Amino acid sequence: MTRTVRATYANGVLTPQEPLDLEEGQQVMVSIEDVPVSVGVPSGEAHGESLLEMFERLRKSVPPGAWDDMPVDGAKNYKHCLYGHPKVEDQ
């Protein structure tokens, strides 16, 4: 099984940033991938794109007609959308 976990290297030791489900003494294969400095920064901001420009780019990436099938009352009926609860009717 392959898993990806973040780790910090300090004083010659890699320390995972989350618990690992491993047995004591278990050998594993470790692959190292440098994490760019901009990790945690939305990709648009890392390239000087404003938040509005990023939203516009993402909006344009949705195929035409796909918005027609999206619920327009998702905030009010989030429990219906996420968990299948009955819809809240307009009052």
Side-chain angles (χ1 to χ4, degrees):
M1 172 176 36
T2 301
R3 291 177 283 177
T4 300
V5 297
R6 290 185 178 275
T8 303
Y9 181 76
N11 300 319
V13 177
L14 281 171
T15 305
Q17 295 179 1
E18 59 190 65
L20 300 177
D21 185 24
L22 299 173
E23 294 186 24
E24 191 67 29
Q26 180 177 342
Q27 292 191 2
V28 296
M29 182 74 66
V30 177
S31 298
I32 305 296
E33 179 182 341
D34 292 337
V35 178
V37 176
S38 62
V39 166
V41 175
S43 62
E45 289 181 32
H47 300 290
E49 184 179 38
S50 75
L51 190 58
L52 290 176
E53 291 168 334
M54 182 177 68
F55 282 139
E56 181 65 14
R57 178 176 49 82
L58 293 173
R59 185 188 65 79
K60 288 180 179 178
S61 70
V62 176
W67 291 113
D68 299 339
D69 297 330
M70 301 298 245
V72 294
D73 60 351
K76 179 173 61 175
N77 282 304
Y78 73 95
K79 288 182 180 179
H80 171 74
C81 295
L82 294 174
Y83 312 116
H85 289 222
K87 280 191 167 187
V88 175
E89 298 298 326
D90 289 329
Q91 297 176 359

